[in-house]
Amino acid sequence: MMLIGIDPHKSTHTATAVDPETNRDHASIRIDVTLQEYQRMLDWACQWPKRRWAVENARGLGHHLTSWLLARGEQVVDVPPSATARVRQLSRGAGRKNDRIDAGAAACVAALQGDARPVQPESSTAALALLDERRSNLAQARVRAVNQLHALLRALLPGGAPRDLSATKAEQLLESVVPAGPAELTRHALAADLIAEIRTWDVKLKDNAKAMAVLVSESESRLTDTPGIGAVTAARLLGRTGNPTRFPSASAFAQYAGTAPIEIASADRARHRLSRRGDRQLNAALHTVAITQIRMPRTRGHAYYQAKLAEGKTPREAQRCLKRRLADHVWRTMIADERRTRATGPGGQPGATTASSAAGPTPTAYSSDKSLPGPAKAESAPPGRPA
């Protein structure tokens, strides 16, 4: 097996072939970032029938090349830049650095199998992550427009506008204003423009939610069976998590989501404090579900919250306990969905896969480099019940 390390740049890529047994540099090639040059590099690599590609930062500058290679049946692993930097530091010294050495360092890390992570074709979770990011940007833009509109209406109306301001309410308030003077005329015109912008954001947010609902439905995820988890929240949970099997246990997922408390121990005294680490967007989604269940009396989450209060915990502490329990439930549900999908395939077809097609010039791929240390063996657990 020949390892081919890739040092990607914006306009050029450098590939170096390294024998994993001798750690010797056999050959190197430098190409421009074009589809024709990709093919030339692949033809060059065909001299080694058994090969594996080690791409540095496959989620960044090497993303397109990684997707192109995966679509053609090549084996690819993702190597973080920090790992290749350590290899260069230990083997070559801090003073020597060029693209060929960087590419060789990526291959060396892949050979050691310490930090390299296998790359798989993208699934619907990647599309959900993109939609979730777009939704966040749309929501932020709408909030900015509403804040600007509030500022203008405070100068046009006595007492300003109510807090829960919609485009329709703002338009009705603006119609009651008779501007006098150039300043008020300008404020009136700007407010009308902002109302039109808010209507645009509202339409885009609705379209975004519909697209999320379609993808979540196609994924056949059972997260939406849990009280408090709708299509938008499920899309964020699935998109931010990716492949759930990259977490070896529910505890690892909870740590990644920032819901697992951090132990602070000294001598015979041990205590736990709130974790500020992990994926904060994922943490926010679990927080939303927890608050929703607390307000729903007939849910298991509400019963669990009340039980924690009865034990003497404060409302904030009980809420954190519920978030931790919800993290376990969400992970187990996603693991059960993953096993069911592997058994039947999308659409209920046995043995079906979600590999991307090689027909297009720009296929997509994702890597699991965000996983925690340890094997990606899933924790044995029955399908999660609604929390």
Side-chain angles (χ1 to χ4, degrees), residues 44 235 248 337:
W44 166 81
D337 291 339

Side-chain angles (χ1 to χ4, degrees), residues 146-223:
V146 170
N147 290 341
Q148 294 173 19
L149 182 58
H150 269 290
L152 291 172
L153 292 179
R154 277 198 301 270
L156 291 171
L157 294 167
R163 177 173 295 182
D164 55 337
L165 187 63
S166 65
T168 302
K169 289 182 180 180
E171 188 175 36
Q172 293 173 353
L173 291 172
L174 197 61
E175 289 176 352
S176 65
V177 176
V178 180
E184 285 198 357
L185 285 170
T186 301
R187 290 192 184 97
H188 193 280
L190 292 176
D193 288 343
L194 287 171
I195 291 173
E197 288 184 11
I198 292 171
R199 292 188 188 278
T200 301
W201 301 137
D202 289 340
V203 171
K204 291 185 177 181
L205 284 168
K206 288 181 181 179
D207 293 341
N208 179 272
K210 290 179 181 178
M212 284 182 169
V214 170
L215 286 177
V216 170
S217 177
E218 290 177 353
S219 70
E220 300 180 356
S221 173
R222 294 183 179 176
L223 282 176

Side-chain angles (χ1 to χ4, degrees), residues 11-32:
S11 57
T12 63
H13 292 337
T14 301
T16 301
V18 176
D19 187 343
E21 296 183 359
T22 62
N23 204 27
R24 186 169 66 89
D25 180 341
H26 279 259
S28 184
I29 186 175
R30 184 187 182 97
I31 64 168
D32 296 327

Side-chain angles (χ1 to χ4, degrees), residues 75-93:
Q75 298 182 36
V76 185
V77 295
D78 179 21
V79 180
S82 58
T84 60
R86 291 197 301 270
V87 174
R88 291 195 308 269
Q89 181 74 23
L90 295 173
S91 62
R92 300 285 186 175

Side-chain angles (χ1 to χ4, degrees), residues 347-382:
Q349 297 298 325
T353 63
T354 57
S356 63
S357 172
T362 52
T364 54
Y366 76 93
S367 68
S368 57
D369 66 322
K370 295 188 294 183
S371 62
L372 299 170
K377 183 178 181 181
E379 179 183 85
S380 298

